[in-house]
Amino acid sequence: MKHPVKIAVVCLARKTYDFGAAGELYSKIREDLKSVEAVQWCFIDELVISQEDGLAAAKKLAGEHVDGLICISGTFHLGHLVLMLKRELAVPVLLWGLPELPYNGGKIRLNSVCGVNLNASNLYKSGFDDYTVIIQNTVDQDWIDALRVIKAMKGSKIGIIGYRADGFFNVGVQDNLLFGQTGALVDHYELSEVHNYEVRDEEVSRRRKQLADTFDVSTLSEYQLDKVSQLSAKLDAFYHANGLSALAIRCWPEFARDFGVSPCAAMSLLQSEGLILACEGDIDGALSMIAHKALGAETPFLFDFSQVDFEQDFALFWHCGVAPCNLWDGVCNRSLDTYFAGGKGVTADFVLKSGELSVLRIDSARGGYRMFLQKAKAIPMEKLLKGTYMKVVFDRPVKDVLNLVLDNGLAHHSSVVYGTYIRALELVAKIKGWKVIC
């Protein structure tokens, strides 16, 4: 499900052009927009023509707390209008130009493209870069999706329990920079707050049955299965009780030592239910998953760029055993194992399903933010390893992708989802003024 947004829409015009035709086009556009998923529309129904119209529209919309503004150039129009609206609405703007109508008696009827040009120039020269331009008959759904990401980040509350993993300086964040760039707030909790969180025995029993129904648990002791069941219940209850949008976890080295098992298996189960859980205290990784989820992508998760094969031109996306269990390939044995942390590292073990992939890392560095984006494809492979993993090919040599990661000093986690989610995120970066690495 896509993140809901609220969008204002106005249509600008001038009576020296065919404003009657513009009104008819605008009426159809309004009806078409009502079918867009998860959008609350705030329409100014009448054409905005005069400065008085512009001022009235701006004041009316100012109280609606919208996430974005669509300015349709129904015809060419006064340059004051978009500036009046922007002055009251500090939100991203879509400048929408309409294709020209057939000429009538040798006279251009709309001159809409020139109106868009006027608006773009006025905004740019006023210091605004958060506008996007289209010339077409239908709305840009990717721009709407970009607003979803921006709103989801702005409203997010990211918890971190413990700290980042030992020595993982590259996934640390500066909380005020994160807030200034995205609006996301971070709350810190101790590991013991989750370890000691009270849950009902009935919920632990339900989780135990769910784990046994989902995984082959034959290698686990009763103690290990019970601890994973407890942790699944505790993490779920803690997440919801604190109103979290995501939770980053210092999953080693103390977690298994102090609780009795690592959180990997519990995280695999809970992520399949829609919780956003980030390994190793990676807050930017959690933010990346929030962005993917806002687009309607299914169960994002973090991976390590763990292996490259330059001769066969593939990469291995692997992590210790935390990928959402609903993404299993349906072929291999989906199991729980204890292959690390002295037998306390209970992890999920399976190959992930094949399919088209989108990769995202929203990454802080040197006082700012940037965005890493890639398209890829997971292809079938045998279950040869412990943990959760997939064999991946890109639409370019894997060596080139690896060099992008290394040359730009990107952190070693990225969010991956099935499907194509690229252009909307590029628009997010444009609106936010972030560099895109792709």
Side-chain angles (χ1 to χ4, degrees):
M1 179 179 177
K2 293 186 176 185
H3 198 83
V5 288
K6 188 175 186 181
I7 302 175
V9 185
V10 300
C11 186
L12 314 181
R14 189 168 174 82
K15 289 186 175 180
T16 51
Y17 293 90
D18 194 345
F19 68 97
E24 292 175 5
L25 292 170
Y26 182 42
S27 179
K28 181 179 184 305
I29 285 171
R30 292 200 306 276
E31 288 305 308
D32 291 344
L33 289 177
K34 291 175 184 177
S35 66
V36 179
E37 175 188 351
V39 179
Q40 180 181 352
W41 297 104
C42 295
F43 295 114
I44 299 297
D45 291 330
E46 301 301 320
L47 296 178
V48 176
I49 296 175
S50 67
Q51 290 190 47
E52 291 75 17
D53 294 340
L55 184 61
K59 288 188 177 298
K60 180 179 179 180
L61 294 173
E64 294 290 345
H65 306 291
V66 296
D67 303 304
L69 170 66
I70 296 177
C71 284
I72 303 169
S73 292
T75 71
F76 187 75
H77 46 73
L78 292 175
H80 307 66
L81 304 178
V82 74
L83 298 180
M84 288 176 166
L85 290 158
K86 184 63 173 172
R87 182 170 59 190
E88 298 295 332
L89 303 172
V91 295
V93 181
L94 179 67
L95 302 178
W96 184 352
L98 303 178
E100 186 56 58
L101 296 175
Y103 302 148
N104 184 3
K107 184 178 180 181
I108 194 165
R109 296 171 65 186
L110 301 181
N111 201 19
S112 175
V113 173
C114 191
V116 168
N117 192 166
L118 174 68
N119 288 339
S121 181
N122 277 333
L123 289 174
Y124 183 89
K125 292 185 176 185
S126 299
F128 296 108
D129 296 315
D130 60 347
Y131 64 88
T132 302
V133 177
I134 59 170
I135 311 293
Q136 57 194 54
N137 288 313
T138 57
V139 74
D140 187 343
Q141 297 265 7
D142 287 328
W143 180 80
I144 296 175
D145 284 346
L147 295 187
R148 301 183 198 279
V149 173
I150 292 168
K151 184 177 182 180
M153 292 192 299
K154 184 177 181 180
S156 63
K157 178 183 178 182
I158 302 174
I160 179 167
I161 57 171
Y163 189 44
R164 56 168 170 73
D166 194 26
F168 283 14
F169 308 106
N170 64 329
V171 301
V173 301
Q174 206 287 320
D175 292 356
N176 293 115
L177 176 64
L178 173 69
F179 177 77
Q181 292 285 305
T182 69
L185 286 168
V186 177
D187 273 353
H188 175 268
Y189 309 93
E190 299 299 332
L191 289 172
S192 60
E193 293 183 62
V194 171
H195 293 175
N196 300 326
Y197 200 80
E198 294 290 336
V199 290
R200 294 183 298 114
D201 291 342
E202 295 84 354
E203 182 61 15
V204 175
S205 296
R206 185 181 76 83
R207 289 297 185 181
R208 184 184 178 106
K209 182 180 186 304
Q210 185 183 14
L211 287 161
D213 290 343
T214 303
F215 297 97
D216 176 355
V217 297
S218 60
T219 64
L220 300 189
S221 67
E222 288 296 309
Y223 170 82
Q224 290 166 335
L225 182 55
D226 189 54
K227 295 298 284 187
V228 176
S229 304
Q230 290 178 34
L231 186 57
S232 299
K234 288 173 182 286
L235 280 171
D236 186 22
F238 182 87
Y239 187 104
H240 288 101
N242 287 285
L244 298 177
S245 308
L247 179 62
I249 302 171
R250 180 176 166 101
C251 44
W252 64 271
E254 302 90 355
F255 203 111
R257 180 197 70 196
D258 296 344
F259 186 73
V261 295
S262 68
C264 308
M267 291 171 69
S268 174
L269 185 70
L270 296 176
Q271 286 189 101
S272 75
E273 298 175 356
L275 273 65
I276 295 180
L277 302 172
C279 305
E280 296 163 332
D282 185 357
I283 291 172
D284 281 344
L287 185 72
S288 303
M289 291 191 283
I290 287 170
H292 266 154
K293 185 176 180 180
L295 296 172
E298 179 187 17
T299 48
F301 66 98
L302 297 182
F303 70 89
D304 285 354
F305 215 133
S306 293
Q307 177 191 347
V308 291
D309 186 315
F310 295 143
E311 290 186 3
Q312 298 187 48
D313 200 28
F314 73 85
L316 186 76
F317 287 3
W318 176 92
H319 220 176
C320 49
V322 73
C325 58
N326 60 309
L327 302 181
W328 167 54
D329 71 356
V331 177
C332 71
N333 182 35
R334 185 172 55 179
S335 58
L336 299 184
D337 208 305
T338 60
Y339 72 95
F340 76 95
K344 294 182 177 181
V346 181
T347 66
D349 288 1
F350 57 87
V351 178
L352 283 90
K353 65 183 181 180
S354 301
E356 300 296 324
L357 304 173
S358 296
V359 176
L360 166 67
R361 172 76 190 184
I362 299 174
D363 195 61
S364 55
R366 300 183 179 183
Y369 268 80
R370 65 266 182 85
M371 184 182 286
F372 172 65
L373 292 169
Q374 290 293 313
K375 289 190 294 184
K377 184 177 183 180
I379 59 177
M381 69 175 294
E382 295 181 24
K383 187 180 180 183
L384 303 171
L385 297 163
K386 303 293 186 181
T388 49
Y389 48 91
M390 59 173 73
K391 185 177 182 179
V392 172
V393 294
F394 295 93
D395 56 2
R396 67 183 78 184
V398 67
K399 188 172 185 178
D400 292 350
V401 178
L402 181 62
N403 285 340
L404 276 179
V405 172
L406 301 179
D407 292 346
N408 288 282
L410 291 162
H412 56 288
H413 295 154
S414 290
S415 175
V416 64
V417 290
Y418 289 86
T420 301
Y421 300 93
I422 299 295
R423 183 171 176 268
L425 292 164
E426 290 175 333
L427 290 175
V428 171
K430 178 182 181 296
I431 291 167
K432 304 294 288 185
W434 296 346
K435 175 184 177 183
V436 175
I437 301 167
C438 62

